[in-house]
Amino acid sequence: MTTHHVDKYSWKALLGSAVGYAMDGFDLLILGFMLSAISTDLALTPAQGGSLVTWTLIGAVAGGLIFGALSDKYGRVRVLTWTIVLFAVFTGLCAFAQGYWDLLIYRTIAGIGLGGEFGIGMALAAEAWPARHRAKASSYVALGWQIGVFAAALLTPLLLPIIGWRGMFLVGIFPAFVAWYLRAKLHEPEVFVRKQASSNKPKKSPFKLLIKDKNTTKVSLGIVVLTSVQNFGYYGIMIWLPNFLSKQLGFSLTKSGLWTAVTICGMMAGIWIFGRLADAIGRKPSFLIFQLGAVLSIVTYSQLTDPTAMLFAGALLGAFVNGMMGGYGALMSEAYPTEARATAQNVLFNIGRAVGGFGPIVVGAVVSAYSFPIAIAFLATIYVLDMLATFFLIPELKGKALE
Protein backbone atom coordinates (compact mmCIF):
# COMPACT_ATOMS: atom_id res chain seq x y z
CA MET A 1 0.00 0.00 0.00
CA THR A 2 1.13 3.54 -0.63
CA THR A 3 -0.34 7.04 -0.95
CA HIS A 4 -3.53 7.25 -3.03
CA HIS A 5 -3.43 10.95 -3.80
CA VAL A 6 -0.88 13.70 -4.32
CA ASP A 7 -0.76 15.88 -1.20
CA LYS A 8 1.52 18.48 0.39
CA TYR A 9 3.82 15.76 1.72
CA SER A 10 4.21 14.27 -1.80
CA TRP A 11 5.41 17.62 -3.16
CA LYS A 12 7.75 18.26 -0.22
CA ALA A 13 9.33 14.82 -0.59
CA LEU A 14 9.73 15.42 -4.32
CA LEU A 15 11.27 18.86 -3.81
CA GLY A 16 13.71 17.51 -1.22
CA SER A 17 14.83 14.75 -3.55
CA ALA A 18 15.08 16.95 -6.65
CA VAL A 19 17.03 19.72 -4.85
CA GLY A 20 19.56 17.19 -3.52
CA TYR A 21 20.04 15.77 -7.00
CA ALA A 22 20.29 19.26 -8.58
CA MET A 23 23.14 20.08 -6.18
CA ASP A 24 24.96 16.95 -7.39
CA GLY A 25 24.69 17.97 -11.04
CA PHE A 26 25.71 21.53 -10.18
CA ASP A 27 28.74 20.41 -8.19
CA LEU A 28 30.10 17.95 -10.76
CA LEU A 29 29.79 20.45 -13.59
CA ILE A 30 31.34 23.43 -11.76
CA LEU A 31 34.32 21.20 -10.97
CA GLY A 32 34.80 20.63 -14.71
CA PHE A 33 34.59 24.38 -15.41
CA MET A 34 37.04 25.25 -12.61
CA LEU A 35 39.74 22.64 -13.26
CA SER A 36 42.05 24.96 -15.17
CA ALA A 37 41.78 27.73 -12.54
CA ILE A 38 42.40 25.22 -9.69
CA SER A 39 45.31 23.61 -11.57
CA THR A 40 46.98 27.00 -12.16
CA ASP A 41 46.57 28.10 -8.52
CA LEU A 42 47.71 24.86 -6.91
CA ALA A 43 50.25 23.97 -9.65
CA LEU A 44 48.55 20.65 -10.51
CA THR A 45 49.55 18.49 -13.48
CA PRO A 46 46.81 17.66 -16.03
CA ALA A 47 46.70 14.11 -14.59
CA GLN A 48 46.18 15.46 -11.05
CA GLY A 49 43.45 17.83 -12.27
CA GLY A 50 41.63 15.00 -14.05
CA SER A 51 41.94 12.72 -11.01
CA LEU A 52 39.84 15.19 -8.95
CA VAL A 53 36.86 14.34 -11.18
CA THR A 54 37.68 10.61 -11.20
CA TRP A 55 37.91 10.40 -7.40
CA THR A 56 34.68 12.37 -6.96
CA LEU A 57 32.97 9.68 -9.08
CA ILE A 58 34.71 6.82 -7.22
CA GLY A 59 33.47 8.40 -3.98
CA ALA A 60 29.98 8.64 -5.51
CA VAL A 61 29.91 4.91 -6.31
CA ALA A 62 31.08 4.06 -2.75
CA GLY A 63 28.53 6.50 -1.26
CA GLY A 64 25.76 4.96 -3.35
CA LEU A 65 26.51 1.49 -1.97
CA ILE A 66 26.85 2.61 1.67
CA PHE A 67 23.99 5.11 1.95
CA GLY A 68 21.40 3.13 -0.03
CA ALA A 69 21.64 0.26 2.46
CA LEU A 70 21.68 2.66 5.46
CA SER A 71 18.54 4.37 4.18
CA ASP A 72 16.72 1.03 3.85
CA LYS A 73 17.59 0.42 7.49
CA TYR A 74 17.32 3.84 9.18
CA GLY A 75 14.94 5.81 6.96
CA ARG A 76 14.91 7.91 3.79
CA VAL A 77 14.71 11.40 5.25
CA ARG A 78 17.30 10.85 7.98
CA VAL A 79 19.94 9.31 5.71
CA LEU A 80 19.26 11.75 2.84
CA THR A 81 20.06 14.53 5.32
CA TRP A 82 23.35 12.85 6.31
CA THR A 83 24.40 12.56 2.66
CA ILE A 84 23.58 16.21 1.91
CA VAL A 85 25.39 17.48 5.01
CA LEU A 86 28.48 15.32 4.30
CA PHE A 87 28.52 16.55 0.72
CA ALA A 88 28.06 20.21 1.71
CA VAL A 89 30.68 20.26 4.51
CA PHE A 90 33.40 18.67 2.36
CA THR A 91 32.53 20.79 -0.68
CA GLY A 92 32.95 23.83 1.59
CA LEU A 93 36.30 22.51 2.85
CA CYS A 94 37.55 22.36 -0.76
CA ALA A 95 37.59 26.18 -0.64
CA PHE A 96 40.40 26.01 1.94
CA ALA A 97 42.55 23.41 0.18
CA GLN A 98 46.28 24.18 0.23
CA GLY A 99 47.44 21.60 -2.31
CA TYR A 100 46.63 18.49 -4.30
CA TRP A 101 46.34 15.89 -1.52
CA ASP A 102 44.00 17.69 0.87
CA LEU A 103 41.79 18.78 -2.07
CA LEU A 104 41.69 15.17 -3.32
CA ILE A 105 40.55 13.93 0.13
CA TYR A 106 37.82 16.60 0.39
CA ARG A 107 36.57 15.84 -3.14
CA THR A 108 36.44 12.10 -2.53
CA ILE A 109 34.45 12.48 0.73
CA ALA A 110 32.13 15.04 -0.93
CA GLY A 111 31.64 12.42 -3.67
CA ILE A 112 30.63 9.82 -1.06
CA GLY A 113 27.85 12.19 0.10
CA LEU A 114 26.86 12.96 -3.49
CA GLY A 115 26.55 9.26 -4.42
CA GLY A 116 23.89 8.46 -1.85
CA GLU A 117 21.39 11.07 -2.94
CA PHE A 118 20.16 9.62 -6.24
CA GLY A 119 18.76 6.35 -4.91
CA ILE A 120 17.43 7.65 -1.60
CA GLY A 121 15.72 10.59 -3.31
CA MET A 122 14.16 8.30 -5.92
CA ALA A 123 12.91 5.86 -3.24
CA LEU A 124 11.51 8.73 -1.13
CA ALA A 125 9.65 10.29 -4.09
CA ALA A 126 8.30 6.91 -5.27
CA GLU A 127 6.99 6.08 -1.78
CA ALA A 128 5.40 9.51 -1.35
CA TRP A 129 3.49 9.48 -4.67
CA PRO A 130 0.53 7.34 -5.77
CA ALA A 131 1.14 4.52 -8.27
CA ARG A 132 -0.61 6.27 -11.15
CA HIS A 133 1.80 9.26 -10.96
CA ARG A 134 4.95 7.39 -9.91
CA ALA A 135 6.90 7.65 -13.19
CA LYS A 136 6.05 11.35 -13.36
CA ALA A 137 7.42 11.86 -9.83
CA SER A 138 10.65 10.00 -10.61
CA SER A 139 11.05 12.01 -13.84
CA TYR A 140 10.84 15.25 -11.80
CA VAL A 141 13.64 14.02 -9.51
CA ALA A 142 15.75 13.17 -12.59
CA LEU A 143 15.09 16.68 -13.94
CA GLY A 144 16.77 18.01 -10.78
CA TRP A 145 20.17 16.86 -12.09
CA GLN A 146 19.68 18.59 -15.46
CA ILE A 147 18.56 21.82 -13.76
CA GLY A 148 21.72 21.68 -11.63
CA VAL A 149 23.87 21.19 -14.73
CA PHE A 150 22.09 24.07 -16.44
CA ALA A 151 22.56 26.34 -13.41
CA ALA A 152 26.27 25.50 -13.33
CA ALA A 153 26.64 26.30 -17.04
CA LEU A 154 24.96 29.70 -16.52
CA LEU A 155 26.43 30.71 -13.14
CA THR A 156 30.05 29.58 -13.38
CA PRO A 157 31.07 31.99 -16.20
CA LEU A 158 29.40 34.85 -14.24
CA LEU A 159 30.66 34.05 -10.72
CA LEU A 160 34.08 32.44 -11.28
CA PRO A 161 35.84 35.68 -12.39
CA ILE A 162 34.40 37.51 -9.34
CA ILE A 163 34.64 35.02 -6.44
CA GLY A 164 37.25 32.60 -7.84
CA TRP A 165 37.21 28.81 -7.49
CA ARG A 166 37.38 28.96 -3.68
CA GLY A 167 34.23 31.12 -3.61
CA MET A 168 32.48 28.68 -5.97
CA PHE A 169 33.12 25.82 -3.54
CA LEU A 170 31.64 27.90 -0.71
CA VAL A 171 28.45 28.24 -2.79
CA GLY A 172 28.29 24.44 -2.44
CA ILE A 173 27.52 24.79 1.30
CA PHE A 174 23.92 25.84 0.56
CA PRO A 175 22.65 22.23 0.47
CA ALA A 176 23.35 21.94 4.21
CA PHE A 177 20.73 24.62 4.89
CA VAL A 178 18.32 22.98 2.45
CA ALA A 179 18.89 19.62 4.19
CA TRP A 180 18.24 21.05 7.63
CA TYR A 181 15.05 22.74 6.43
CA LEU A 182 13.72 19.63 4.69
CA ARG A 183 14.59 17.35 7.61
CA ALA A 184 12.54 19.60 9.89
CA LYS A 185 9.53 19.51 7.54
CA LEU A 186 9.47 15.85 6.40
CA HIS A 187 8.55 12.59 8.09
CA GLU A 188 9.36 9.13 6.72
CA PRO A 189 6.99 7.77 4.01
CA GLU A 190 4.09 5.71 5.39
CA VAL A 191 5.04 2.59 3.43
CA PHE A 192 8.51 2.67 5.07
CA VAL A 193 7.16 3.29 8.60
CA ARG A 194 4.63 0.43 8.22
CA LYS A 195 7.33 -1.93 6.98
CA GLN A 196 9.57 -1.08 9.96
CA ALA A 197 6.71 -1.59 12.43
CA SER A 198 5.53 -4.92 10.98
CA SER A 199 8.97 -6.46 10.60
CA ASN A 200 9.82 -8.66 13.60
CA LYS A 201 11.83 -11.33 11.83
CA PRO A 202 15.60 -10.79 11.36
CA LYS A 203 16.27 -8.67 8.30
CA LYS A 204 17.95 -10.03 5.20
CA SER A 205 20.82 -8.03 3.72
CA PRO A 206 19.30 -5.57 1.19
CA PHE A 207 22.08 -6.53 -1.25
CA LYS A 208 20.98 -10.18 -1.17
CA LEU A 209 17.38 -9.14 -1.92
CA LEU A 210 18.54 -7.90 -5.36
CA ILE A 211 19.39 -11.50 -6.36
CA LYS A 212 17.09 -13.42 -4.00
CA ASP A 213 15.68 -15.74 -6.71
CA LYS A 214 15.98 -16.43 -10.43
CA ASN A 215 13.28 -13.95 -11.42
CA THR A 216 14.68 -11.08 -9.31
CA THR A 217 18.21 -11.77 -10.61
CA LYS A 218 16.89 -11.58 -14.19
CA VAL A 219 15.26 -8.18 -13.49
CA SER A 220 18.45 -6.91 -11.77
CA LEU A 221 20.54 -7.98 -14.77
CA GLY A 222 18.11 -6.21 -17.14
CA ILE A 223 18.26 -2.99 -15.11
CA VAL A 224 22.09 -3.12 -15.02
CA VAL A 225 22.11 -3.33 -18.85
CA LEU A 226 19.68 -0.38 -19.04
CA THR A 227 21.64 1.86 -16.65
CA SER A 228 24.98 0.90 -18.23
CA VAL A 229 23.79 1.80 -21.73
CA GLN A 230 22.22 4.98 -20.32
CA ASN A 231 25.48 6.19 -18.76
CA PHE A 232 27.71 4.89 -21.55
CA GLY A 233 25.64 6.65 -24.22
CA TYR A 234 25.27 9.85 -22.18
CA TYR A 235 28.99 10.27 -21.38
CA GLY A 236 30.09 8.99 -24.79
CA ILE A 237 27.91 11.54 -26.57
CA MET A 238 28.31 14.51 -24.23
CA ILE A 239 32.12 14.23 -24.06
CA TRP A 240 32.73 13.53 -27.75
CA LEU A 241 30.11 15.36 -29.78
CA PRO A 242 31.41 18.93 -29.15
CA ASN A 243 34.80 17.58 -30.31
CA PHE A 244 33.15 15.98 -33.36
CA LEU A 245 31.40 19.27 -34.19
CA SER A 246 34.60 21.29 -34.11
CA LYS A 247 36.87 18.74 -35.85
CA GLN A 248 34.53 17.46 -38.58
CA LEU A 249 32.45 20.55 -39.23
CA GLY A 250 34.67 23.37 -38.01
CA PHE A 251 32.16 24.58 -35.38
CA SER A 252 33.59 27.27 -33.13
CA LEU A 253 33.47 26.81 -29.36
CA THR A 254 30.51 29.23 -29.17
CA LYS A 255 28.59 27.13 -31.69
CA SER A 256 29.51 23.95 -29.81
CA GLY A 257 28.34 25.64 -26.61
CA LEU A 258 25.02 26.58 -28.21
CA TRP A 259 24.70 23.00 -29.48
CA THR A 260 25.33 21.65 -25.95
CA ALA A 261 22.71 24.02 -24.45
CA VAL A 262 20.09 22.96 -27.04
CA THR A 263 20.91 19.28 -26.46
CA ILE A 264 20.50 19.71 -22.67
CA CYS A 265 17.10 21.37 -23.27
CA GLY A 266 16.19 18.37 -25.42
CA MET A 267 17.27 16.04 -22.60
CA MET A 268 15.06 17.87 -20.10
CA ALA A 269 12.08 17.70 -22.45
CA GLY A 270 12.75 13.99 -23.01
CA ILE A 271 12.77 13.22 -19.27
CA TRP A 272 9.55 15.18 -18.72
CA ILE A 273 7.79 13.42 -21.63
CA PHE A 274 9.05 9.99 -20.57
CA GLY A 275 7.55 10.31 -17.07
CA ARG A 276 4.13 11.16 -18.48
CA LEU A 277 4.28 8.49 -21.19
CA ALA A 278 5.33 5.74 -18.74
CA ASP A 279 2.38 6.55 -16.46
CA ALA A 280 0.02 6.53 -19.46
CA ILE A 281 1.09 3.49 -21.53
CA GLY A 282 3.43 1.59 -19.19
CA ARG A 283 7.16 1.37 -18.41
CA LYS A 284 8.17 -1.26 -20.97
CA PRO A 285 6.64 0.26 -24.15
CA SER A 286 8.00 3.70 -23.14
CA PHE A 287 11.55 2.34 -22.79
CA LEU A 288 11.30 0.54 -26.16
CA ILE A 289 10.01 3.68 -27.94
CA PHE A 290 12.83 5.82 -26.53
CA GLN A 291 15.52 3.17 -27.22
CA LEU A 292 14.39 2.90 -30.85
CA GLY A 293 14.33 6.71 -31.00
CA ALA A 294 17.94 6.76 -29.69
CA VAL A 295 19.10 4.35 -32.42
CA LEU A 296 17.40 6.33 -35.20
CA SER A 297 18.40 9.78 -33.93
CA ILE A 298 22.08 8.81 -33.43
CA VAL A 299 22.33 7.28 -36.92
CA THR A 300 20.54 10.27 -38.51
CA TYR A 301 22.72 12.72 -36.59
CA SER A 302 25.96 11.15 -37.82
CA GLN A 303 24.87 11.77 -41.44
CA LEU A 304 24.08 15.49 -41.08
CA THR A 305 26.36 18.36 -42.11
CA ASP A 306 24.07 21.41 -42.04
CA PRO A 307 24.60 23.34 -38.75
CA THR A 308 20.94 24.36 -38.35
CA ALA A 309 19.71 20.83 -39.00
CA MET A 310 22.27 19.59 -36.46
CA LEU A 311 21.02 22.01 -33.84
CA PHE A 312 17.44 20.67 -34.09
CA ALA A 313 18.63 17.08 -34.42
CA GLY A 314 20.78 17.62 -31.30
CA ALA A 315 17.67 18.46 -29.27
CA LEU A 316 15.93 15.33 -30.57
CA LEU A 317 19.02 13.21 -29.90
CA GLY A 318 19.18 14.57 -26.33
CA ALA A 319 15.49 13.80 -25.76
CA PHE A 320 15.80 10.13 -26.79
CA VAL A 321 19.24 9.40 -25.34
CA ASN A 322 18.56 10.92 -21.94
CA GLY A 323 14.75 10.84 -21.65
CA MET A 324 14.90 7.32 -20.18
CA MET A 325 16.38 8.81 -17.00
CA GLY A 326 12.76 9.71 -16.25
CA GLY A 327 11.82 6.05 -15.83
CA TYR A 328 14.51 4.20 -13.87
CA GLY A 329 13.39 5.52 -10.49
CA ALA A 330 9.83 4.22 -10.92
CA LEU A 331 10.95 0.92 -12.47
CA MET A 332 13.38 0.11 -9.64
CA SER A 333 10.96 1.25 -6.92
CA GLU A 334 8.34 -1.17 -8.25
CA ALA A 335 10.73 -4.08 -8.84
CA TYR A 336 12.07 -4.32 -5.24
CA PRO A 337 10.54 -4.42 -1.74
CA THR A 338 10.72 -1.49 0.69
CA GLU A 339 13.63 -3.00 2.67
CA ALA A 340 15.84 -2.99 -0.46
CA ARG A 341 14.38 -0.12 -2.49
CA ALA A 342 17.05 2.57 -1.98
CA THR A 343 19.81 -0.07 -2.13
CA ALA A 344 18.51 -1.25 -5.52
CA GLN A 345 18.37 2.32 -6.87
CA ASN A 346 21.91 3.14 -5.76
CA VAL A 347 23.61 -0.19 -6.49
CA LEU A 348 22.08 -0.79 -9.92
CA PHE A 349 22.43 2.79 -11.09
CA ASN A 350 26.01 3.08 -9.83
CA ILE A 351 27.06 -0.15 -11.55
CA GLY A 352 25.70 1.49 -14.71
CA ARG A 353 27.61 4.67 -13.89
CA ALA A 354 30.84 2.68 -13.42
CA VAL A 355 30.40 0.94 -16.80
CA GLY A 356 29.33 4.23 -18.42
CA GLY A 357 32.53 5.88 -17.21
CA PHE A 358 34.31 3.89 -19.91
CA GLY A 359 32.07 5.45 -22.61
CA PRO A 360 34.38 8.36 -23.51
CA ILE A 361 37.46 6.05 -23.49
CA VAL A 362 35.87 3.43 -25.76
CA VAL A 363 34.41 6.05 -28.13
CA GLY A 364 37.83 7.75 -28.22
CA ALA A 365 39.54 4.45 -29.08
CA VAL A 366 37.05 3.74 -31.91
CA VAL A 367 37.54 7.30 -33.23
CA SER A 368 41.33 6.95 -33.38
CA ALA A 369 41.22 3.44 -34.88
CA TYR A 370 38.45 4.16 -37.43
CA SER A 371 36.52 7.45 -37.63
CA PHE A 372 33.88 9.61 -35.95
CA PRO A 373 30.96 8.27 -38.05
CA ILE A 374 31.92 4.66 -37.16
CA ALA A 375 32.16 5.60 -33.44
CA ILE A 376 28.67 7.11 -33.64
CA ALA A 377 27.31 4.03 -35.41
CA PHE A 378 28.83 1.94 -32.60
CA LEU A 379 26.92 4.08 -30.05
CA ALA A 380 23.71 3.34 -31.95
CA THR A 381 24.27 -0.43 -31.67
CA ILE A 382 24.43 -0.35 -27.84
CA TYR A 383 20.82 0.87 -27.82
CA VAL A 384 19.82 -2.22 -29.82
CA LEU A 385 21.29 -4.28 -26.93
CA ASP A 386 19.21 -2.07 -24.62
CA MET A 387 16.03 -2.97 -26.51
CA LEU A 388 16.76 -6.70 -26.25
CA ALA A 389 17.33 -6.39 -22.48
CA THR A 390 14.07 -4.46 -22.07
CA PHE A 391 12.11 -6.92 -24.15
CA PHE A 392 13.38 -10.12 -22.51
CA LEU A 393 14.36 -9.16 -18.95
CA ILE A 394 12.22 -6.23 -17.78
CA PRO A 395 8.68 -6.87 -16.45
CA GLU A 396 5.81 -4.37 -16.84
CA LEU A 397 5.08 -2.97 -13.36
CA LYS A 398 2.86 0.05 -14.09
CA GLY A 399 0.34 0.66 -11.28
CA LYS A 400 1.97 -1.83 -8.89
CA ALA A 401 1.39 -1.13 -5.17
CA LEU A 402 4.71 -0.81 -3.31
CA GLU A 403 5.32 -3.68 -0.89
Side-chain angles (χ1 to χ4, degrees):
M1 272 289 291
T2 185
T3 320
H4 288 299
H5 56 279
V6 178
D7 54 19
K8 217 161 140 191
Y9 176 79
S10 309
W11 284 108
K12 271 194 218 156
L14 181 67
L15 186 68
S17 305
V19 166
Y21 205 33
M23 292 296 178
D24 294 356
F26 182 80
D27 177 78
L28 267 181
L29 206 72
I30 62 168
L31 182 61
F33 279 127
M34 301 188 314
L35 274 182
S36 63
I38 295 170
S39 299
T40 308
D41 256 18
L42 299 180
L44 307 183
T45 65
Q48 285 176 326
S51 72
L52 293 174
V53 180
T54 309
W55 278 93
T56 304
L57 289 171
I58 291 170
V61 172
L65 302 180
I66 298 161
F67 284 118
L70 285 175
S71 138
D72 283 329
K73 188 171 182 185
Y74 296 110
R76 316 295 184 218
V77 181
R78 182 185 294 175
V79 179
L80 186 62
T81 313
W82 297 346
T83 66
I84 296 178
V85 171
L86 186 70
F87 164 71
V89 168
F90 281 89
T91 297
L93 282 173
C94 291
F96 304 100
Q98 295 305 302
Y100 171 65
W101 288 106
D102 58 340
L103 182 56
L104 186 74
I105 290 163
Y106 299 149
R107 282 308 308 164
T108 307
I109 299 173
I112 291 171
L114 180 149
E117 285 171 37
F118 171 80
I120 304 171
M122 281 295 189
L124 176 62
E127 289 170 355
W129 279 63
R132 66 180 185 281
H133 297 302
R134 197 175 291 132
K136 216 179 295 155
S138 75
S139 75
Y140 292 152
V141 178
L143 276 173
W145 173 277
Q146 299 293 346
I147 291 165
V149 165
F150 217 65
L154 294 174
L155 290 176
T156 313
L158 295 174
L159 293 177
L160 190 59
I162 303 163
I163 60 174
W165 64 268
R166 294 182 187 275
M168 289 301 293
F169 277 129
L170 288 174
V171 171
I173 294 177
F174 281 112
F177 298 113
V178 179
W180 175 83
Y181 176 77
L182 292 167
R183 179 73 184 94
K185 303 279 176 193
L186 272 182
H187 56 80
E188 295 296 342
E190 280 168 39
V191 65
F192 180 83
V193 175
R194 261 201 306 277
K195 188 76 196 173
Q196 292 290 85
S198 69
S199 207
N200 302 322
K201 52 182 187 290
K203 288 189 172 57
K204 264 190 181 168
S205 146
F207 298 103
K208 282 187 183 152
L209 290 172
L210 307 188
I211 47 169
K212 68 172 191 250
D213 52 40
K214 196 176 162 190
N215 206 27
T216 312
T217 306
K218 194 176 93 169
V219 178
S220 295
L221 176 66
I223 292 173
V224 164
V225 174
L226 263 63
T227 57
S228 298
V229 169
Q230 174 68 45
N231 284 288
F232 194 98
Y234 176 77
Y235 291 115
I237 288 165
M238 289 308 283
I239 303 288
W240 278 102
L241 272 178
N243 194 322
F244 167 70
L245 296 173
S246 60
K247 288 253 172 65
Q248 299 285 103
L249 304 163
F251 272 35
S252 66
L253 193 62
T254 321
K255 262 191 184 161
S256 293
L258 175 68
W259 171 85
T260 307
V262 170
T263 307
I264 290 173
C265 286
M267 288 177 169
M268 291 169 79
I271 291 171
W272 189 82
I273 292 164
F274 191 99
R276 286 173 148 59
L277 192 67
D279 277 336
I281 67 167
R283 304 352 180 187
K284 203 161 167 164
S286 303
F287 275 114
L288 289 166
I289 289 166
F290 270 69
Q291 288 154 353
L292 180 63
V295 174
L296 298 175
S297 59
I298 292 169
V299 172
T300 308
Y301 196 86
S302 65
Q303 307 303 314
L304 295 174
T305 48
D306 176 62
T308 316
M310 291 188 81
L311 204 59
F312 286 111
L316 203 62
L317 178 81
F320 283 118
V321 165
N322 212 43
M324 291 172 275
M325 273 303 295
Y328 300 119
L331 177 68
M332 289 189 260
S333 293
E334 289 157 348
Y336 301 95
T338 299
E339 61 266 39
R341 188 162 295 125
T343 303
Q345 301 271 6
N346 272 340
V347 169
L348 302 177
F349 193 78
N350 276 311
I351 291 173
R353 192 183 264 170
V355 174
F358 292 102
I361 302 166
V362 175
V363 173
V366 177
V367 168
S368 40
Y370 301 100
S371 66
F372 263 116
I374 287 179
I376 290 176
F378 159 73
L379 276 175
T381 59
I382 67 170
Y383 286 94
V384 176
L385 171 71
D386 217 11
M387 291 176 80
L388 292 170
T390 304
F391 196 80
F392 291 108
L393 301 174
I394 300 295
E396 178 54 68
L397 298 168
K398 174 181 179 255
K400 180 177 187 259
L402 300 186
E403 50 183 86

